[in-house]
Amino acid sequence: MKSFDVVIIGGGITGLSTAYYLNKMGVKNVLIIEKNYLGSGSTGRCGTGIRQQFTTKEHIVLMRESVKLWKEWENSLEHPIHFKQGGYIWLLRNNEELKQYKNYVKMQNLLGVPTQIISKEEIKEIVPEINTDDIVGASWCSTDGNAYPFEVIDALKFFVESKGTTIKTFEEVKNITLKNGLIQSVITDNDIYYTSFLVNGAGTGAKKTAKIIEIELPLENYRHQIVVSEPLEDFLNPMVVKGELYFTQTHRGRVIGGTDMNESPTDSISTSIDFLEKFATEVVKTIPQLSSIKIMRQWAGSYVVTPDHHPIIGPSEISNFILGCGYSGHGFMLGPIVGKLLASYIIDGKMFLPEADNLTIKRFKEGKLIQEKAVIG
Ligand SMILES: Cc1cc2nc3c(=O)[nH]c(=O)nc-3n(C[C@H](O)[C@H](O)[C@H](O)COP(=O)(O)OP(=O)(O)OC[C@H]3O[C@@H](n4cnc5c(N)ncnc54)[C@H](O)[C@@H]3O)c2cc1C
């Protein structure tokens, strides 16, 4: 009989980060089950961005703490993850946005995030190429940044395997059994594994996975597309955001970014020409010099979205079934802190940040939703 202290469904940032912190905190007998290859879900398809510029206490505090952990990962993981604090420059298109973001900045500052409102002249000092004709200023946080998803996945994989975690790829969870109201085992297309705790880090598959044991998660999958360009000389340090548009430059010189197509929920991750047209138009309006760059690749992935655009983390109705899903488009950046919170919950029975307790599944039953207003892409 194969038995593990913790089984994790999903080999994305949630699964690997949770295994990382479990291993660090002394739990070594961990299994990650991934139906495809590691990073094949949203993690390997994401826009690399890591920011603290949010509009709720829960997101700001979690991201403030996550950035600290990103720094620790950058300094301690054996493989480079290319975490860089190049900042986020959030371009504001009119006085109404400016007023709104002044309030967000106040809240972020009170919670220890050093955001500031900057003028058009100051924007030019940070990115001289930005066209400031149709903007009134920006919200700027120099400690925001980005990291490289597949390098992060590789670095975590290397660490957790060296500590004893087992990783099964190309193996799919098909069923879950309960005994006395608790998770007893996980059945895949290949084997059966007994466990004391089961973590649902299955991304777009999280809703289906929970449904096996009759837990309803209020999640919808939305397609989001993204592109990368040919490599260019280094010119862009921060992530640039303008309305639904976002883009930055990778450590390999490629411009990476996306925009929102305002679509209905779907499981499709096909790509479309109209996305390319919209993205190109918005980017060139923002930095006219980018008009002649070549797009090398376009792909799509899913945002797994909750009704209040906050993740669902921590315990569920079944006390040994732990949730880490529904990030609504910003789960890569939350990966380190969510992994640490879930590991702490499994070991100590509590998440160590009070703000995290507001993000459990309970909030939907109790009608205590917390709306995030700064959602990009
Ligand atoms: C275009 C795009 C841009 C984005 N940009 C950003 C960004 O800039 N910053 C940011 O923070 N976030 C961004 N996101 C969101 C981010 O990618 C996700 O929130 C995050 O990667 C979620 O990680 P995860 O580990 O929870 O899920 P995933 O990475 O999706 O991993 C879940 C894994 O579970 C596996 N799985 C599912 N069902 C089963 C099963 N039954 N058995 C076994 N395995 C299973 C899947 O194959 C998958 O690999 C973006 C997303 C997209 C699509």
Side-chain angles (χ1 to χ4, degrees), residues 40-306:
S40 58
S42 302
T43 301
R45 297 165 186 276
C46 85
T48 75
I50 295 168
R51 67 175 156 113
Q52 302 150 95
Q53 296 191 59
F54 281 97
T55 67
T56 68
K57 191 174 172 202
E58 286 73 14
H59 266 151
I60 298 168
V61 169
L62 260 66
M63 275 313 303
R64 183 193 67 203
E65 296 307 306
S66 211
V67 164
K68 290 181 193 161
L69 301 178
W70 277 109
K71 274 196 232 173
E72 280 180 24
W73 283 9
E74 171 71 11
N75 294 328
S76 65
L77 285 166
E78 207 163 307
H79 287 254
I81 59 167
H82 299 285
F83 172 62
K84 177 187 80 178
Q85 288 179 293
Y88 256 60
I89 192 160
W90 201 303
L91 305 176
L92 305 172
R93 295 166 295 178
N94 51 52
N95 286 330
E96 200 183 316
E97 274 191 0
L98 181 63
K99 196 172 151 204
Q100 251 177 359
Y101 278 74
K102 276 185 179 163
N103 285 332
Y104 302 156
V105 165
K106 254 188 227 157
M107 186 176 190
Q108 289 157 10
N109 291 170
L110 279 174
L111 295 169
V113 173
T115 325
Q116 48 180 310
I117 295 291
I118 58 171
S119 65
K120 290 190 191 200
E121 292 69 33
E122 289 167 310
I123 293 171
K124 288 277 191 195
E125 282 167 26
I126 298 166
V127 187
E129 295 83 0
I130 288 182
N131 168 24
T132 53
D133 290 351
D134 59 351
I135 54 179
V136 294
S139 173
W140 163 245
C141 181
S142 62
T143 57
D144 290 345
N146 60 352
Y148 290 90
F150 279 109
E151 275 101 333
V152 174
I153 291 288
D154 275 354
L156 293 175
K157 171 188 185 291
F158 185 80
F159 179 90
V160 300
E161 284 190 325
S162 76
K163 298 293 174 200
T165 288
T166 306
I167 299 180
K168 302 269 183 187
T169 51
F170 298 99
E171 193 168 326
E172 184 169 358
V173 172
K174 296 284 191 187
N175 207 353
I176 298 167
T177 65
L178 299 174
K179 190 176 177 191
N180 301 328
L182 292 174
I183 304 285
Q184 181 195 38
S185 75
V186 176
I187 300 165
T188 69
D189 44 12
N190 188 47
D191 217 330
I192 173 161
Y193 306 102
Y194 291 84
T195 186
S196 305
F197 285 93
L198 179 61
V199 176
N200 183 358
T204 56
K207 185 173 182 163
K208 192 172 155 198
T209 304
K211 215 172 165 94
I212 300 173
I213 45 174
E214 290 173 14
I215 291 184
E216 290 295 335
L217 298 182
L219 301 176
E220 300 271 23
N221 299 334
Y222 286 81
R223 172 173 76 159
H224 280 264
Q225 301 184 58
I226 182 164
V227 293
V228 283
S229 74
E230 62 184 329
L232 306 172
E233 281 201 9
D234 277 356
F235 78 101
L236 184 60
N237 220 7
M239 178 75 80
V240 179
V241 181
K242 188 179 178 193
E244 295 164 337
L245 171 75
Y246 69 92
F247 61 97
T248 188
Q249 196 176 15
T250 72
H251 65 293
R252 298 200 176 101
R254 297 174 191 277
V255 173
I256 182 169
T259 187
D260 194 7
M261 299 301 287
N262 299 309
E263 292 176 319
S264 305
T266 173
D267 285 333
S268 159
I269 49 167
S270 61
T271 55
S272 68
I273 288 287
D274 52 343
F275 165 81
L276 207 51
E277 209 177 308
K278 181 172 184 215
F279 176 78
T281 308
E282 289 177 6
V283 152
V284 171
K285 224 169 154 189
T286 310
I287 298 192
Q289 288 92 326
L290 292 178
S291 63
S292 58
I293 63 166
K294 292 186 180 67
I295 296 296
M296 301 305 281
R297 246 170 6 102
Q298 177 183 359
W299 67 92
S302 299
Y303 283 14
V304 183
V305 176
T306 61

